[in-house]
Structures are given as C-alpha cells and as structure tokens.
Amino acid sequence: MKILLLANQPERTTRLRMFRGTLQSQGHEVIVPSFGTRNWISIARQAKRMALDHKPDVVHIFNVPDVIYHGFAGLRGRGYKRLIYDYRSPWGVEFAQTFLAPGKAFAERFERELAEAADVITTVNEPLEKKVKEYAPQKKVYIVPNYPQRSFCQKVDESDTVQPGKGPIIFIGRVCTQEGIGKLLELARAIPEREFWIVGGGPFARYYLWRKPANVRNLGWQPHEKVAALLGKASLCLIPREENALTPYSTDKSVWKLNEYLALGKIVVASGVTMIEKRKNLVIVPSRDLERAVRDNLLREPEPMDREDYRFWDLNDRVIKEVYESL
C-alpha cells in the first residue's frame, strides 16, 4: 500500500514520524514530504500536487491547522483512494483562546470537513475521540496514544542516575506561557535550595529567562538522543502548565514528554493535565498546588516499575495495522 502522510511540517511532526516507522515495518511504501515553507497557502498547494503526482492508496492527515487541507476531499479518486484523519489536537478549542467564539467557529468548520470526509479517524485519547465524534458520529475512531520508542530508554547511562532528592528538577519543552514557564520560575524562586534545569527553547525564551533565578540552569534545545541522558540525572520531572480550555484534552496518553519521563521510571509532578489512567509515579495536581506537590515528592523513591507499567509505541502496532486493514 502506498501511503502519503501529511501535516503542517511533516518531516518535523513527531507523531507522523512514529506512524511512518510503524507503517514501513509493516511493509507499506510511505511518503513524507518536506514543503520548505511555513506558508499555509503554499503548503496546501504543494500537498494537493503531491497527491495528484504520487496517487497514493491512502492519505493520512495529521491535523492542526486543518484549514491547510480545506478542499482536499475533492481529490478523492483523482489523487488518492482513501483518507484517514488524525485528530491530535482540538484546533477549534485552541483558536477560541485567542479569537473567542468566531475563532472557534472558523477552526471547527475545517475540523468538521476533514472528519466527515475521512474513511476512518485516528486520535490520541478518549476526550479527543469524544470531541471528533461530534463532527462524524458514524465514523470509526481508533485511539493511538503518544508513547515513546523503547530505544529512548536505552540512551540512559545507569551510572549517571541519581539518588532521590539529589538531582535537579527538570523541565523539557517549549519555553512559553502555554507550557508553564511562568509557573516554573515561580517554583524556582519558592524553592531556592534546589536546582531547576530547562531543556528547551522558543522564539521568546530569552525574554522569559533574562531575569531567571540563580538556581535555574537553561540548557537550551538538545538533540533527542541526549534528552534521556539528561533525564537520568533528574530527581523529579515537571510539567507546570496552568489550567485552560485545552486541559481536558491533554492527558497522560497524549503528552509526549510525560510518557518519556514515566518510561524512565521518574517521578512526574504535573498540572494542567488530565489523568485518564492511573500511572505509577505520576502526580497530577491543580497548578495552585504545584509547589506543595513538588516539595512532597522531592525525596520520595519512585515506585518500582513492573513490565505492565511501561507504555511504548510498539503497543500501537496492532491498532495501526487494524486501521489500515479496515480500509
């Protein structure tokens, strides 16, 4: 089967790349384009041209921003045979935070268009499944969680791991308000005796960090193969998000870094995230209680992990195979 995987920036979309690896291992021919631009109009034009040129059996679209693929359903038959819509984020809910009700109506128009046009739908967790079924209640939806590769855990040198309470508190991700940089700096000031590591960046990182506390160490973006080694040195991993309209859709099945932390057996203290499944070493609290939760867990030994406690991407192999066989 020839499969074209599409997104805003396909070659940089982690979830798309994970699907590519699984599909290739299952014997499919997989095409992942690189558009060389961030201009939505140009991406839309190039994506349609690729479908017409390659004529894949299946196009799998990974959403946000969905407007890029407006009208793509019209290429069915000429450019491709079947369409899969991967609903990985509620673009309408996200848009509404900035543009209120008009923004929500605008974005959800294109979400609905793709959901109704798709032959089947994939998504990350149960809240997103429920949301996308509002647009296409008759469509089959498959849940494919965002779990890391097993190889991620092999990048940790056991000699670098630390005793509970001895290592830094670590945050990995974009340095921005949405990911909780304000709350992280507030925590660092409240707990000056502990070192905080930031592994990440962003267009406004310098602005957010120019007056950071002395106990905050900014390591910037790091290659993914080095991230596990840095996590191995941490005593606690942090997700310091504030609650907002996206919180119900952001769960332990969808947050990449949360699952990477847990796969390494680390204690994770998180806010602005919703728990669907009880997980060992995961503590989710309201953002107002974040400091208390961090202090309560700094010296705690992580619970020993049994085989069934680990969540890796290859657990999705069967459902991904089922998705494509259903076509």
Side-chain angles (χ1 to χ4, degrees), residues 129-190:
E129 176 190 25
K130 182 178 179 181
K131 176 65 176 172
V132 77
K133 273 186 168 291
E134 294 176 4
Y135 306 132
Q138 78 283 7
K139 295 292 172 67
K140 176 67 175 177
V141 180
Y142 296 87
I143 295 177
V144 183
N146 285 337
Y147 295 148
Q149 295 278 18
R150 290 181 185 271
S151 58
F152 179 77
C153 297
Q154 296 168 2
K155 296 180 174 68
V156 177
D157 186 340
E158 294 297 330
S159 65
D160 286 340
T161 57
V162 297
Q163 295 297 317
K166 300 296 184 182
I169 299 168
I170 194 168
F171 164 84
I172 296 177
R174 182 172 290 272
V175 178
C176 63
T177 301
Q178 293 87 341
E179 291 297 316
I181 186 59
K183 196 68 179 178
L184 184 149
L185 295 175
E186 179 185 315
L187 282 171
R189 293 186 180 97

Side-chain angles (χ1 to χ4, degrees), residues 26-301:
Q26 293 177 355
H28 298 291
E29 178 186 349
V30 183
I31 304 166
V32 177
S34 179
F35 297 124
T37 179
R38 291 186 176 275
N39 182 279
W40 292 359
I41 296 173
S42 178
I43 292 170
R45 186 183 302 117
Q46 290 185 56
K48 289 177 179 177
R49 175 51 54 192
M50 288 203 72
L52 291 169
D53 289 346
H54 289 279
K55 292 183 169 49
D57 299 297
V58 180
V59 173
H60 199 154
I61 292 176
F62 294 74
N63 86 313
V64 182
D66 303 65
V67 67
I68 289 176
Y69 295 100
H70 171 54
F72 203 87
L75 300 181
R76 185 192 298 272
R78 292 186 298 135
Y80 63 90
K81 297 176 183 176
R82 296 286 184 267
L83 179 65
I84 302 174
Y85 178 43
D86 188 67
Y87 191 63
R88 63 196 179 107
S89 182
W91 190 42
V93 175
E94 183 178 351
F95 228 48
Q97 293 185 100
T98 303
F99 302 105
L100 306 178
K104 185 174 188 288
F106 170 82
E108 290 192 346
R109 170 195 171 189
F110 300 106
E111 291 183 338
R112 182 182 302 277
E113 177 185 329
L114 284 170
E116 290 179 344
D119 293 282
V120 296
I121 298 170
T122 53
T123 192
V124 186
N125 57 35
E126 287 82 353
L128 288 171
E129 176 190 25
K130 182 178 179 181
K131 176 65 176 172
V132 77
K133 273 186 168 291
E134 294 176 4
Y135 306 132
Q138 78 283 7
K139 295 292 172 67
K140 176 67 175 177
V141 180
Y142 296 87
I143 295 177
V144 183
N146 285 337
Y147 295 148
Q149 295 278 18
R150 290 181 185 271
S151 58
F152 179 77
C153 297
Q154 296 168 2
K155 296 180 174 68
V156 177
D157 186 340
E158 294 297 330
S159 65
D160 286 340
T161 57
V162 297
Q163 295 297 317
K166 300 296 184 182
I169 299 168
I170 194 168
F171 164 84
I172 296 177
R174 182 172 290 272
V175 178
C176 63
T177 301
Q178 293 87 341
E179 291 297 316
I181 186 59
K183 196 68 179 178
L184 184 149
L185 295 175
E186 179 185 315
L187 282 171
R189 293 186 180 97
I191 312 175
E193 68 275 15
R194 301 311 303 268
E195 189 173 37
F196 287 72
W197 286 5
I198 296 174
V199 181
F204 302 106
R206 183 174 296 182
Y207 165 77
Y208 287 117
L209 299 176
W210 76 285
R211 295 184 66 181
K212 63 180 176 62
N215 59 326
V216 173
R217 183 181 175 190
N218 178 27
L219 302 177
W221 285 118
Q222 296 289 325
H224 193 250
E225 59 269 18
K226 293 185 178 180
V227 169
L230 291 170
L231 286 172
K233 301 175 186 293
S235 61
L236 186 144
C237 300
L238 186 64
I239 297 177
R241 298 177 182 177
E242 300 276 359
E243 290 78 11
N244 58 33
L246 290 172
T247 298
Y249 304 100
S250 182
T251 76
D252 55 288
K253 289 187 176 182
S254 63
V255 182
W256 285 110
K257 59 189 176 185
L258 183 152
N259 282 295
E260 289 180 341
Y261 298 160
L262 293 177
L264 294 174
K266 294 294 180 177
I267 291 178
V268 182
V269 175
S271 60
V273 177
T274 299
M275 184 184 292
I276 290 181
E277 177 188 1
K278 183 173 175 57
R279 304 280 295 276
K280 281 185 178 178
N281 301 318
L282 175 60
V283 180
I284 295 180
V285 297
S287 58
R288 64 178 180 273
D289 295 333
L290 207 53
E291 180 186 343
R292 174 191 57 76
V294 168
R295 290 187 180 277
D296 287 349
N297 287 278
L298 266 177
L299 299 178
R300 182 165 72 86
E301 288 270 5

